[in-house]
Amino acid sequence: MNYYDQHLHTHFSYDSEADFVPYLEAFDGMVVTTEHFDLANPVTHQDDAPDYQAYSQTIDELKKTYGNRILKGIEIGYIASEKERILDYLADKTYDIKLLSVHHNGQFDYLDDFVADMNPQEIIPAYLSQLEEAVATIPANVFAHFDYGFRLFNLSVSDLQTFEPQLTRLFQAVIAHDLAFEVNAKSAYLYNNLALYDYAIDLYQALGGTLFTIGSDGHKLAHFRLHFDDLFDLLHQKSITELVTYQNGKPTMVKF
């Protein structure tokens, strides 16, 4: 089995206009989309939840043309105030893969432009605490883009290391809950955080972490499988030769 992109969005996500078909025609392997689920979203000032029925029906129709190689996924954006509603929404739905993220704190999204002017020493510990709570609260498969909350701060590795005790606790929780660590291509190459991922992968491994995924975080075809060959090389340099994929929520290790 070829490794396939496990972080991808279509028009079923509030911030994408992409269609399934270009992804399916650009790659002959499995295609899974992980649509945004963000309640109390300060970007749109509403709940953003994918229409599960329409999403499932679209996939069923596409399978008639493209075969049984389209999977269902979701990217769960955690916010403590909406914990019960998040769990209620997920309770009666089936996904092949669930990504777990934190995108906002109830007041602003961490990618809002003005966040770049805020104090990292205040924002980052609060963000990492949100992640710890998310991991402890929401059943999922993949711990997505650990750096989302500080993408705008242009951190060096030494800057990030000042938060290592909290990162250590977080990664220990990720490991304890059997979540895979996502190497996020958008973070690494479009937000220039490759060095932070290099450091974080080493820390996660040193703590005993063995499960990895690579996701483009693509919202359009141009970002599909972004720099995957480069990320494969990075992981090989760290003696990582298998990535985990998920179907029906069950993990399968794939050599790459």
Side-chain angles (χ1 to χ4, degrees):
M1 179 190 298
N2 292 329
Y3 182 76
Y4 51 91
D5 197 339
Q6 290 188 105
H7 190 159
L8 199 60
H9 298 277
T10 71
H11 58 87
F12 283 100
S13 293
Y14 76 91
D15 58 352
S16 175
E17 297 179 358
D19 189 38
F20 287 86
V21 172
Y23 297 138
L24 287 161
E25 295 188 345
F27 182 68
D28 61 6
M30 304 298 290
V31 170
V32 58
T33 70
T34 49
E35 308 297 353
H36 278 304
F37 172 40
D38 285 279
L39 298 182
N41 190 345
V43 175
T44 60
H45 306 289
Q46 64 181 21
D47 293 333
D48 288 298
D51 183 332
Y52 183 78
Q53 182 176 358
Y55 177 63
S56 299
Q57 289 177 344
T58 297
I59 289 174
D60 288 343
E61 285 299 313
L62 287 168
K63 284 181 176 179
K64 296 176 183 178
T65 301
Y66 292 96
N68 197 29
R69 62 184 184 95
I70 311 168
L71 304 176
K72 288 191 291 187
I74 190 168
E75 181 179 1
I76 305 160
Y78 180 75
I79 179 69
S81 63
E82 309 304 322
K83 175 177 67 176
E84 296 304 326
R85 291 206 297 142
I86 291 170
L87 292 171
D88 286 347
Y89 176 88
L90 296 170
D92 63 348
K93 297 173 180 64
T94 300
Y95 295 98
D96 289 285
I97 184 171
K98 297 176 183 176
L99 311 186
L100 183 59
S101 305
V102 166
H103 295 122
H104 69 85
N105 63 5
Q107 298 176 309
F108 56 82
D109 189 288
Y110 288 103
L111 289 186
D112 283 339
D113 290 342
F114 60 80
V115 174
D117 298 321
M118 300 180 80
N119 184 352
Q121 297 298 322
E122 295 177 359
I123 296 298
I124 294 174
Y127 167 70
L128 294 176
S129 292
Q130 282 186 268
L131 286 177
E132 286 188 67
E133 183 175 340
V135 169
T137 304
I138 305 297
N141 307 115
V142 177
F143 175 64
H145 48 46
F146 87 103
D147 66 313
Y148 187 93
F150 44 91
R151 274 178 171 176
L152 299 186
F153 288 136
N154 194 28
L155 298 183
S156 68
V157 171
S158 60
D159 292 333
L160 185 58
Q161 284 176 318
T162 64
F163 304 99
E164 188 166 298
Q166 198 171 1
L167 283 169
T168 296
R169 292 196 306 272
L170 172 60
F171 290 175
Q172 286 172 333
V174 168
I175 294 165
H177 287 81
D178 293 322
L179 296 176
F181 181 94
E182 179 193 77
V183 182
N184 186 282
K186 179 180 285 185
S187 290
Y189 292 99
L190 300 186
Y191 287 92
N192 300 311
N193 280 343
L194 182 60
L196 303 188
Y197 273 83
D198 194 1
Y199 158 75
I201 292 166
D202 288 347
L203 178 59
Y204 173 78
Q205 284 186 291
L207 295 168
T210 60
L211 298 176
F212 291 91
T213 66
I214 296 176
S216 69
D217 200 356
H219 289 65
K220 56 185 178 180
L221 182 61
H223 295 159
F224 181 45
R225 296 178 64 85
L226 180 73
H227 282 279
F228 268 34
D229 287 341
D230 295 319
L231 292 175
F232 291 158
D233 287 343
L234 173 67
L235 295 180
H236 281 150
Q237 291 168 21
K238 298 178 182 299
S239 300
I240 299 165
T241 60
E242 292 183 318
L243 295 167
V244 61
T245 62
Y246 294 90
Q247 294 184 27
N248 297 316
K250 297 179 181 179
T252 299
M253 301 306 294
V254 177
K255 290 189 179 296
F256 65 98

